Every structure is written in structure tokens, then in C-alpha cells.
Amino acid sequence: MRILIGVIIVGFIMLAGVLSYQGYQQALTGGDDPLTTSYQFEKPRPIIDFVLTNQDDAPFTAKHLLGQWSLIFVGYTSCPDICPTTMAKLSSMYEQLNAIAPVQIIFLSVDPARDSIRKLQDYRNFFHPKIVAVTGEHAKLYPLTQSLGMVYAMTGTGADYQVDHSASLVLINPQGERVAVFKTMANTQGQGDMSSAQIIHDFRLLTKS
């Protein structure tokens, strides 16, 4: 009996925590419609200054984040699964997102040894010609990804090494500050996923709050 009561109490505590979190996120977005796949920070978080190179072999700096919203995705062109899936999803909703608020989608390659400027350009063009693809030396990438709340690491040896990396999307406001992160949630197959509908729904709330 005591065990049953304990389980019930724990259940109520967990439910209260979920409801409290939803209420907190609703308060931040200013309405009763909760965020579905993202987390909004209580206050915007600054990111470090940086200088990278885009798919046109031109400098891409923190100044390019100003004046519009930005969605940043960390990956690499040789990625076999999550990168092409996410890029296809982002490219398919590019116009819908921009109809809500001006936003640039940025593919941040963390594999500079293999992702040449030409490869970045081809990869970007394959998905959407308006997506921005950038990269740089690891000495620049490591501190930037850390500032974005993302991580990556090389695994394996030889030419076929893999890159473990965050699968989230980081939302940057027009002031160049990190305001939210879109996180994958387990789908029916137990794999991390976030639907286009969820991203569009949360993007609308986050850009209006």
C-alpha cells in the first residue's frame, strides 16, 4: 500500500513538473498555445564573435546574423542520415517560415577537412539555393558551437571517419542573440525527430513573443 501511495505521489510530482514547464513556456510566448518541440530561454543569450567562410568563399561573420532571424543547424555533407533529412525538411518549409518572419537557414559544417567550398556550394544548391552554408577551421568552430549550445566530435579513423553532432536547431533573433533551441523528440520508432508542422508552429510563436 505504501509503495502504491509512493508511486502515486511521484506521478503527481512529475505531472506538476510538466504542467509547470508548459506554463512557463506559455508565459514566455505570451499565450495559451504551448511550444511543441522547442525551448525558449528566459533571456536572450549572446554568442561569441566569429569569422567563417560561406559557400561563395566569402566571409560570414556575426554581423550577418543581424536584422533577421536565423536558424542554425550543425552538420557535415558526408552525414548519412540526420543531416540530409533535416536539410530536406528545412528546405521544404523555407518559404513558409519566411512568410511568418524573415529568416535565414544556416548549415554550419563542422567537417572542414572534407567540406570544401565547392562541396558546400553543391550541397546547399541541392537542397535550396537560399540556404547559407558555412564552415571554418576547428579552432573557430569549437568555440562557436559551444557558444551556440551545440557539440560535435570526430569518431573513427581514416578517410571514412564520422562526425557525431547535435541534431538540434538554434534560433537566433535579429539582434544576433540565441533565444531558443528546437530539439528532436522520440518518434514511434524511438528515434529523434521533429516534424515540419512542429517547427513552423513554434517558429511562429517564438518570433511573435
Side-chain angles (χ1 to χ4, degrees), residues 21 24-25 27-29 35 38-47 146-150 168-173 177-183 206 209:
Y21 168 78
Y24 168 72
Q25 289 294 299
L28 287 179
T29 54
L35 298 172
S38 61
Y39 175 82
Q40 183 180 17
F41 305 121
E42 185 175 1
K43 295 181 180 179
R45 301 181 178 183
I47 62 175
Q146 185 177 27
S147 178
L148 292 170
M150 312 284 265
S168 303
L169 303 173
V170 178
L171 181 63
I172 308 296
N173 66 16
E177 303 165 315
R178 184 163 56 109
V179 294
V181 57
F182 292 75
K183 295 186 176 182
L206 291 165
S209 62

Side-chain angles (χ1 to χ4, degrees), residues 92-101 103 196 200 203-204:
S92 69
M93 67 179 86
Y94 185 91
E95 280 71 25
Q96 289 176 277
L97 292 173
N98 272 276
I100 298 170
V103 58
S196 298
I200 292 171
F203 181 74
R204 179 178 287 107

Side-chain angles (χ1 to χ4, degrees), residues 2-166:
R2 290 182 178 178
I3 295 177
L4 177 60
I5 293 175
V7 171
I8 293 174
I9 292 174
V10 171
F12 274 117
I13 292 174
M14 293 178 64
L15 177 60
V18 170
L19 294 176
S20 176
Y21 168 78
Q22 290 181 341
Y24 168 72
Q25 289 294 299
Q26 288 173 3
L28 287 179
T29 54
D32 297 327
D33 195 6
L35 298 172
T36 60
T37 190
S38 61
Y39 175 82
Q40 183 180 17
F41 305 121
E42 185 175 1
K43 295 181 180 179
R45 301 181 178 183
I47 62 175
I48 64 170
D49 197 14
F50 63 87
V51 179
L52 300 176
T53 304
N54 70 11
Q55 73 284 332
D56 297 320
D57 202 19
F60 186 88
T61 71
K63 292 182 179 179
H64 290 91
L65 301 178
L66 303 178
Q68 62 186 325
W69 294 87
S70 300
L71 269 175
I72 301 179
F73 173 65
V74 171
Y76 63 114
T77 65
S78 302
C79 177
D81 39 45
I82 186 65
C83 294
T85 300
T86 302
M87 288 291 285
K89 191 175 298 181
L90 290 172
S91 64
S92 69
M93 67 179 86
Y94 185 91
E95 280 71 25
Q96 289 176 277
L97 292 173
N98 272 276
I100 298 170
V103 58
Q104 61 178 341
I105 295 174
I106 302 170
F107 173 71
L108 175 58
S109 168
V110 290
D111 187 13
R114 293 183 296 193
D115 287 350
S116 64
I117 297 301
R118 178 59 183 274
K119 186 172 287 188
L120 282 181
Q121 192 174 65
D122 290 343
Y123 194 75
R124 185 280 303 265
N125 290 339
F126 178 81
F127 290 103
H128 199 290
K130 291 186 178 180
I131 288 178
V132 180
V134 299
T135 193
E137 300 173 355
H138 287 300
K140 298 179 180 179
L141 292 172
Y142 279 127
L144 175 58
T145 53
Q146 185 177 27
S147 178
L148 292 170
M150 312 284 265
V151 295
Y152 75 94
M154 307 305 184
T155 61
T157 58
D160 296 327
Y161 65 87
Q162 300 292 308
V163 184
D164 291 336
H165 60 88
S166 301

